[in-house]
Amino acid sequence: MKSERFATLWNFPCCVGALDGKHVRIQCPSHAGSLFFNYKHFHSIQLQAVVDADLMFIVIDVGEYGRNSDGAAFKTSDFGKALMNKELDLPNPSLILGTDEEMPYHFVADEAYPLNLNIMRPFDGRNLNNTRRVFNQRLSRARKVVECAFGILSRKWEIFQRPLRVQVDNAETIVKAACALHNFVRARDGEMRPETSTEMDTMEAPSLRQSAGLVNWEKNNTPGRRPVDAIKARNALAEFFMLEGGRLQWINDLVCV
């Protein structure tokens, strides 16, 4: 089960995948105007992906205009619509080990994505208490798998080191094929081992505020408008990470003040 691998490798319970987007550089299509021109100042199509604990793609959506934010691309994708409409066949909520709290199964994502019962995103703000700082660090650690999968994809297939000089439809096909080949290689090489995840902890964690979609999402979605049940679920998970049964002491030592 995907959640068991996340719990084993990344110490994040009830997580079934890490969600994020990547801009794939393309040559500007004819008569496209600024549709494909992104905030990084190059032309691109978007790859929205869900990655499992072993860095394999389990959901991809390719082809959204580069000008759109991660959050906007997610909301228009088939996966995003299915998730927000509760049409995904996710397991029923499960008790967190050692507590009487039921936790919905969820995806971890950055601040470009909406807080939802099935999407865990970090707490906003700078002046956070220790409980929230620990939660954000734990979520960032679990979410790192999707950033690493994107990095491996780009490094292994050198075609992504330069703009794809093909029609947009063909660029989408190339990205889909590369994701499939990535999974083939990962499956051939075998599952990640716990010691591998420990090595990845030494890598710099991706910024929680790097997405261009952050500003627009926070502006249009104040905390008072977020689902109350989702807030309660995130708070319960944050509290669990401070308990003896859920604590990673080295993270607490790293971020607590």
Side-chain angles (χ1 to χ4, degrees):
M1 190 174 182
K2 298 296 185 184
S3 62
E4 293 174 353
R5 292 294 292 169
F6 264 101
T8 299
L9 292 173
W10 306 107
N11 308 103
F12 209 96
C14 297
C15 178
V16 293
L19 170 65
D20 203 2
K22 172 181 173 58
H23 288 275
V24 178
R25 192 184 297 263
I26 63 170
Q27 180 176 261
C28 180
S30 301
H31 312 297
S34 62
L35 285 176
F36 294 91
F37 195 71
N38 63 46
Y39 73 101
K40 297 180 179 180
H41 306 296
F42 61 83
H43 294 90
S44 66
I45 56 174
Q46 287 209 43
L47 164 61
Q48 287 279 313
V50 176
V51 171
D52 70 10
D54 293 290
L55 279 65
M56 295 182 70
F57 294 104
I58 53 177
V59 177
I60 61 171
D61 188 277
V62 186
E64 183 65 39
Y65 295 131
R67 69 180 294 179
N68 292 336
S69 67
D70 285 348
F74 167 75
K75 287 190 289 185
T76 59
S77 69
D78 290 341
F79 172 77
K81 292 175 183 176
L83 178 59
M84 300 304 289
N85 293 331
K86 301 186 182 302
E87 296 172 353
L88 295 182
D89 188 21
L90 294 175
N92 293 325
S94 176
L95 287 176
I96 303 177
L97 183 65
T99 75
D100 58 358
E101 292 285 349
E102 277 198 338
M103 179 60 53
Y105 285 86
H106 53 263
F107 302 88
V108 290
D110 65 16
E111 290 173 311
Y113 295 87
L115 178 64
N116 180 278
L117 269 176
N118 300 122
I119 300 177
M120 286 291 157
R121 55 167 275 171
F123 288 99
D124 299 329
R126 297 180 182 274
N127 299 317
L128 301 177
N129 60 29
N130 283 338
T131 299
R132 293 188 171 191
R133 275 196 288 269
V134 167
F135 175 87
N136 283 3
Q137 184 67 25
R138 294 283 291 270
L139 184 142
S140 176
R141 181 173 184 259
R143 198 183 67 81
K144 189 187 296 184
V145 296
V146 67
E147 295 284 347
C148 289
F150 287 153
I152 293 170
L153 186 77
S154 295
R155 288 194 298 271
K156 185 174 288 293
W157 314 114
E158 293 186 2
I159 192 172
F160 296 122
Q161 300 298 318
R162 57 187 183 277
L164 299 178
R165 300 184 183 278
V166 295
Q167 297 294 323
V168 172
D169 288 348
N170 290 336
E172 294 176 11
T173 301
I174 290 170
V175 174
K176 293 174 183 177
C179 291
L181 289 170
H182 168 93
N183 282 2
F184 175 81
V185 173
R186 296 294 301 173
R188 183 198 63 185
D189 292 346
E191 292 182 329
M192 286 186 61
R193 302 176 303 279
E195 57 266 29
T196 307
S197 64
T198 302
E199 292 170 5
M200 287 176 61
D201 286 326
T202 63
M203 298 169 59
E204 182 179 355
S207 169
L208 292 174
R209 309 185 69 84
Q210 66 185 359
S211 171
L214 170 62
V215 176
N216 291 335
W217 179 257
E218 291 184 336
K219 185 181 296 184
N220 296 321
N221 295 270
T222 61
R225 294 169 60 186
R226 292 173 182 155
V228 174
D229 289 344
I231 294 174
K232 289 181 178 179
R234 182 171 64 175
N235 289 341
L237 193 53
E239 293 293 338
F240 171 71
F241 288 153
M242 301 299 288
L243 301 176
E244 183 176 353
R247 183 186 307 132
L248 285 181
Q249 191 59 50
W250 66 270
I251 286 184
N252 288 45
D253 293 342
L254 178 68
V255 303
C256 290
V257 296

